[in-house]
């Protein structure tokens, strides 16, 4: 692991691994299959990039998007790593040149799409190229339970059949328990090392606003952040174009992005955004994986997403540099009802069940009366006992009441129903419904039938959702979202603990600001950003490939004056020192000598 530490410092410019990375790297170097779950921006790439530079041979990285491959390869090359991608953007001559480099063993990491990897006799080259590691990025795409299932990923399981000894590392930021089990089965991982980091992104503030006057709400919010970069997600192409035009009319540098736009226009918008030449992108979910821009300061969902996984992944595009970011969702129950009707019209029964379960969880997040971060993390099985203090519910708490008796009634009803029914049915029994199904099943004879008739349907819906959020109930997606008791529910049923629940309320946005970043010279930071942009333009790469905002802030705090001090900046390795160090050091020294020149 000393060699891994050296690679981390000398190539990537980091003094220490983040939590879990060293253990993952150690297992990969030992040739063990691995499944890695880390949040967006959590450092998944280093888990295979560091081993790739220590192993003899080629590491093949399966990646779903061309733009993601390019950004990864550009960053690796700036760090002095021989990396390449093979996709449809290469000319015939470029592809031939790349194959020659591969045949000569001159490439350490090759990024490739699953379609290209599985096409024809491509894998016949594995032995000649000495392929020593396969990394499957965005591994949730392989699962039928995943929110972004892609049939072309399904064929990847054949690789283990053909190359049983080839270690495979699968990585994803969004996978619930059913998805994780599916990934392991479909990729046929042998005795895998499992690492599940916390899904928490503490620098992101989660806020839900009631959707009253959406255009005015959006406009006012964006105008308060006119000098920052943001993404606005919408549910339709028409709305994307409408909002982009309105924002542009308000003097905001915004552009639309959706799948029906010409490829050239989509590439233009994404490139302008990556290069800090465009502040706001209004988009459908087509603006998806591969958005590796570290300084997105806010993500707005103008419409409710279809599932928690998509929401988590999309909000995770904010604050990848670790600095404060905000995730705002405008929530209207009518939007949720329309989307639910669309899901109910899905022809495939299993797909409909999966989508319905996931959408119900998304609605529960939007209507939550408990800490939103707890709701989000608990969905992924990352149970958090304490509220986060950095969401709208924590910052502007709803009224609480002693909910122990209500919880006991609800949990008892789930138990009496043999943990075999969903939320709606449980509520009907609690409220004493005598509909045909309940009578036929004999559930009108249960001791819990009608014990909650003094409360409304909405009240019990809120109670059950809060019990799910607090880890006292779970919904089994593989059994049509039936409610099931968790071990933690026993102490509630026995009355051994107190339990506060929230009364329904109207959600409002908090006016409290983020805790400020530690002091740094903002004029110097602005000067360094201009220098970064100039160097990036000269090399035709996004500015963050040179350095991200967090590194520039550290420079503006530490004021390095020589190469040794500059190497101590997080993200500065030997190659970046060699390539950019003198320019940034000169700029810092000039500024210190004459601050008014900035």
């Amino acid at each position: 692991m000393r060699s891994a530490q050296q690679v981390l410092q000398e190539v990537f410019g980091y003094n220490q691994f983040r939590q879990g990375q060293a253990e993952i790297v150690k297992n990969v170097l030992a040739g063990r299959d691995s499944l890695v779950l880390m949040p967006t921006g959590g450092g998944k790439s280093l888990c295979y990039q560091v081993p790739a530079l220590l192993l003899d041979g080629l590491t093949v990285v399966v990646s779903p998007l061309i733009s993601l491959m390019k950004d990864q390869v550009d960053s690796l090359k700036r760090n002095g790593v021989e990396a390449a991608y093979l996709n449809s953007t290469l000319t015939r001559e470029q592809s031939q040149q790349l194959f020659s480099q591969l045949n000569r063993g001159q490439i350490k990491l090759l990024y490739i799409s699953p379609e290209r990897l599985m096409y024809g006799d491509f894998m016949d080259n594995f032995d000649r190229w000495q392929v020593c590691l396969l990394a499957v990025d965005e591994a949730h795409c392989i699962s039928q339970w995943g929110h972004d299932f892609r049939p072309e990923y399904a064929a990847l399981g054949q690789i283990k059949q053909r190359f049983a000894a080839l270690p495979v590392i699968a990585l994803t930021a969004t996978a619930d328990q059913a998805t994780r089990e599916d990934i392991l089965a479909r990729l046929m991982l042998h005795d895998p090392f499992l690492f599940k980091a916390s899904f928490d992104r503490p620098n992101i503030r989660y806020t839900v606003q009631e959707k009253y006057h959406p255009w005015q709400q959006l406009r006012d919010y964006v105008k308060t952040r006119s000098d920052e970069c943001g993404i606005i997600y919408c549910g339709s192409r028409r709305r994307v174009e409408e909002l982009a035009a309105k924002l542009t009319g308000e003097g905001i540098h915004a552009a639309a992005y959706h799948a029906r736009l010409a490829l050239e226009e989509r590439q233009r918008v994404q490139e302008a955004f990556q290069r800090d030449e465009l502040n706001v992108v209004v988009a459908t979910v087509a603006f998806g994986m591969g958005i590796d821009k570290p300084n997105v300061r806010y993500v707005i969902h103008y419409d409710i997403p279809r599932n928690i996984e998509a929401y988590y992944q999309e909000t995770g595009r904010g604050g990848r540099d670790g600095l404060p970011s905000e995730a705002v969702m405008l929530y209207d129950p009518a939007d949720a009802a329309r989307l639910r009707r669309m899901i109910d019209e899905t022809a495939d029964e299993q797909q409909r069940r999966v989508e319905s379960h996931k959408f119900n969880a998304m609605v529960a997040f939007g209507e939550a009366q408990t800490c939103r971060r707890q709701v989000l993390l608990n969905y992924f099985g990352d149970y958090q006992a304490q509220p986060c203090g950095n969401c709208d519910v924590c910052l502007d708490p709803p009224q609480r009441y002693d909910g122990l008796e209500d919880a006991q009634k609800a949990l008892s009803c789930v138990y009496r129903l043999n943990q075999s029914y969903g939320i709606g049915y449980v509520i009907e029994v609690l409220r004493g419904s005598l509909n045909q199904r309940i009578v036929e099943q004999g559930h009108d004879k249960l001791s819990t039938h009608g014990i909650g008739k003094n409360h409304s349907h909405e009240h019990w819906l809120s109670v059950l959702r809060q019990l799910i959020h607090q880890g006292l109930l779970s919904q089994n997606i593989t059994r049509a979202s039936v409610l099931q008791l968790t071990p933690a529910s026993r102490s509630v049923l026995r009355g051994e603990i107190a339990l506060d629940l929230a009364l329904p309320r109207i959600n409002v946005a908090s006016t409290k600001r983020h805790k400020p970043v530690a002091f740094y010279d903002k004029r110097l930071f602005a000067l360094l950003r201009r220098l970064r942009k100039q160097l990036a333009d000269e090399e035709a790469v996004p500015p963050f490939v040179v350095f991200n905002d967090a590194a520039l802030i550290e420079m503006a705090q530490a004021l390095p004056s020589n190469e040794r001090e500059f190497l101590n900046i997080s993200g500065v390795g030997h190659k970046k020192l060699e390539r950019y160090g003198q320019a940034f050091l000169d700029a810092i020294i000039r500024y210190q000598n004459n601050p008014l020149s900035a």
Side-chain angles (χ1 to χ4, degrees):
M1 292 305 295
R2 186 179 300 114
S3 296
Q5 184 68 36
Q6 288 173 345
V7 168
L8 183 73
Q9 291 177 319
E10 295 173 7
V11 178
F12 297 100
Y14 299 114
N15 291 325
Q16 59 186 11
F17 284 106
R18 296 185 189 181
Q19 184 179 8
Q21 286 180 325
E23 192 177 6
I24 296 165
V25 169
K26 181 179 179 180
N27 277 275
V28 171
L29 290 174
R32 190 174 178 187
D33 291 342
S34 303
L35 173 59
V36 174
L37 291 97
M38 278 187 177
T40 303
K44 292 187 295 296
S45 299
L46 285 176
C47 295
Y48 61 82
Q49 289 173 347
V50 170
L53 301 183
L54 293 168
L55 293 168
D56 293 328
L58 173 70
T59 292
V60 175
V61 184
V62 178
S63 184
L65 288 177
I66 289 173
S67 59
L68 183 57
M69 296 182 200
K70 184 177 185 305
D71 286 344
Q72 291 272 17
V73 170
D74 283 344
S75 293
L76 285 167
K77 285 183 173 180
R78 292 302 174 286
N79 286 320
V81 177
E82 292 299 328
Y85 54 78
L86 180 60
N87 58 42
S88 58
T89 65
L90 300 184
T91 64
R92 181 182 178 86
E93 292 73 22
Q94 288 172 323
S95 295
Q96 289 175 338
Q97 181 182 359
L98 174 57
F99 271 81
S100 296
Q101 290 177 293
L102 289 165
N103 289 332
R104 293 195 296 269
Q106 295 175 337
I107 302 295
K108 289 299 291 180
L109 287 107
L110 176 68
Y111 286 76
I112 189 169
S113 70
E115 298 94 331
R116 187 65 182 85
L117 176 62
M118 304 306 296
Y119 180 74
D121 58 358
F122 183 84
M123 285 193 293
D124 291 347
N125 298 296
F126 273 30
D127 289 332
R128 180 167 67 255
W129 294 343
Q130 292 183 293
V131 174
C132 57
L133 176 64
L134 176 72
V136 181
D137 203 5
E138 308 293 353
H140 61 273
C141 294
I142 201 171
S143 171
Q144 64 174 327
W145 306 113
H147 72 286
D148 197 23
F149 173 60
R150 300 188 179 197
E152 59 269 22
Y153 261 68
L156 294 176
Q158 300 173 23
I159 295 175
K160 276 301 239 186
Q161 288 180 314
R162 183 169 176 182
F163 303 97
L166 177 66
V168 174
I169 176 172
L171 309 102
T172 180
T174 47
D176 56 17
Q177 184 62 36
T179 304
R180 296 198 289 270
E181 292 173 0
D182 212 20
I183 292 170
L184 294 173
R186 287 173 177 257
L187 285 178
M188 293 187 261
L189 302 187
H190 173 67
D191 185 28
F193 170 69
L194 302 176
F195 179 82
K196 180 183 150 195
S198 172
F199 285 81
D200 192 12
R201 294 283 305 282
N203 61 313
I204 297 178
R205 173 175 295 171
Y206 299 102
T207 299
V208 176
Q209 291 188 15
E210 290 289 341
K211 195 175 186 180
Y212 292 120
H213 304 290
W215 158 242
Q216 290 91 326
Q217 289 170 283
L218 177 70
R219 178 196 61 198
D220 294 347
Y221 182 92
V222 173
K223 280 196 167 185
T224 64
R225 293 169 168 257
S226 58
D227 59 340
E228 297 177 338
C229 294
I231 303 171
I232 300 166
Y233 282 105
C234 301
S236 70
R237 295 186 293 271
R238 179 186 59 79
R239 187 164 286 166
V240 163
E241 294 180 353
E242 172 190 318
L243 291 180
K246 282 186 172 183
L247 288 169
T248 301
E250 294 283 337
I252 296 163
H253 199 188
Y257 187 107
H258 59 71
R260 289 290 180 88
L261 291 173
L263 176 61
E264 295 77 13
E265 173 64 6
R266 280 181 279 143
Q267 290 175 334
R268 183 196 71 78
V269 171
Q270 182 158 334
E271 186 171 306
F273 189 59
Q274 298 278 54
R275 295 189 177 188
D276 289 345
E277 296 164 1
L278 181 67
N279 279 4
V280 179
V281 173
V282 187
T284 61
V285 293
F287 196 61
M289 289 181 292
I291 311 305
D292 194 22
K293 181 178 170 67
N295 64 332
V296 175
R297 297 273 70 89
Y298 62 88
V299 177
I300 298 175
H301 282 88
Y302 195 82
D303 303 303
I304 185 171
R306 292 177 77 97
N307 52 67
I308 288 275
E309 289 94 338
Y311 174 80
Y312 178 81
Q313 196 166 60
E314 287 155 10
T315 57
R317 290 172 190 135
R320 291 175 66 99
D321 52 11
L323 300 178
S325 179
E326 189 158 18
V328 178
M329 184 170 78
L330 301 182
Y331 179 72
D332 182 351
D335 288 346
R338 281 193 294 272
L339 195 48
R340 181 173 280 113
R341 283 196 297 271
M342 291 172 58
I343 292 171
D344 288 344
E345 292 170 1
T346 303
D348 184 278
E349 182 180 351
Q350 179 166 295
Q351 182 184 355
R352 184 171 65 250
R353 278 198 298 116
V354 172
E355 288 197 25
S356 180
H357 168 86
K358 291 178 179 292
F359 183 63
N360 287 340
M362 188 68 241
V363 170
F365 174 85
E367 297 177 354
Q369 299 293 315
T370 51
C371 169
R372 294 200 197 277
R373 197 178 308 272
Q374 284 182 307
V375 177
L376 189 65
L377 298 180
N378 288 359
Y379 176 83
F380 294 109
D382 187 6
Y383 298 109
Q384 303 291 312
Q386 298 300 319
C388 72
N390 192 29
C391 70
D392 60 313
V393 175
C394 287
L395 293 168
D396 183 22
Q399 286 184 275
R400 315 288 298 182
Y401 78 103
D402 181 354
L404 181 61
E405 184 179 338
D406 280 353
Q408 289 174 325
K409 289 178 179 179
L411 295 172
S412 296
C413 192
V414 171
Y415 177 76
R416 298 291 178 190
L417 289 168
N418 294 320
Q419 306 179 72
S420 300
Y421 293 85
I423 285 181
Y425 192 85
V426 171
I427 293 174
E428 291 292 315
V429 174
L430 278 168
R431 299 192 67 236
S433 171
L434 292 173
N435 65 39
Q436 183 178 353
R437 186 183 180 198
I438 287 176
V439 174
E440 287 178 351
Q441 299 282 346
H443 292 153
D444 58 325
K445 304 295 192 300
L446 294 177
S447 59
T448 52
H449 183 262
I451 61 172
K453 60 185 176 184
N454 57 323
H455 288 307
S456 67
H457 182 281
E458 290 72 23
H459 174 88
W460 286 115
L461 183 62
S462 174
V463 167
L464 287 166
R465 282 176 172 165
Q466 290 182 66
L467 296 180
I468 293 168
H469 304 160
Q470 295 191 29
L472 301 172
L473 282 174
S474 64
Q475 288 178 289
N476 190 333
I477 186 176
T478 63
R479 291 186 54 205
S481 301
V482 301
L483 291 176
Q484 296 179 329
L485 303 177
T486 69
S489 66
R490 291 174 188 157
S491 56
V492 174
L493 283 166
R494 294 169 182 163
E496 296 171 349
I497 61 171
L499 184 67
D500 281 352
L501 296 177
L503 291 169
R505 67 171 192 132
I506 296 176
N507 293 314
V508 294
S510 171
T511 57
K512 297 180 182 178
R513 300 299 293 174
H514 281 282
K515 182 180 178 181
V517 177
F519 174 79
Y520 63 96
D521 190 320
K522 292 182 173 56
R523 293 186 68 190
L524 175 56
F525 174 71
L527 182 150
L528 296 178
R529 285 192 72 186
R530 291 197 295 273
L531 173 60
R532 177 182 68 178
K533 184 72 169 69
Q534 175 189 331
L535 295 172
D537 287 348
E538 289 172 1
E539 298 182 355
V541 296
F544 66 79
V545 170
V546 179
F547 292 116
N548 62 29
D549 280 5
L552 298 189
I553 287 175
E554 193 175 338
M555 292 178 202
Q557 290 170 328
L559 304 175
S561 59
N562 55 52
E563 291 189 351
R564 178 181 56 79
E565 292 176 354
F566 197 72
L567 263 179
N568 288 331
I569 301 296
S570 182
V572 178
H574 288 281
K575 284 293 181 181
K576 284 197 174 181
L577 171 66
E578 180 184 323
R579 188 184 292 264
Y580 307 118
Q582 198 58 53
F584 280 87
L585 286 169
D586 288 347
I588 293 168
I589 292 168
R590 279 197 306 271
Y591 176 80
Q592 288 182 286
N593 291 334
N594 184 12
L596 296 179
S597 65

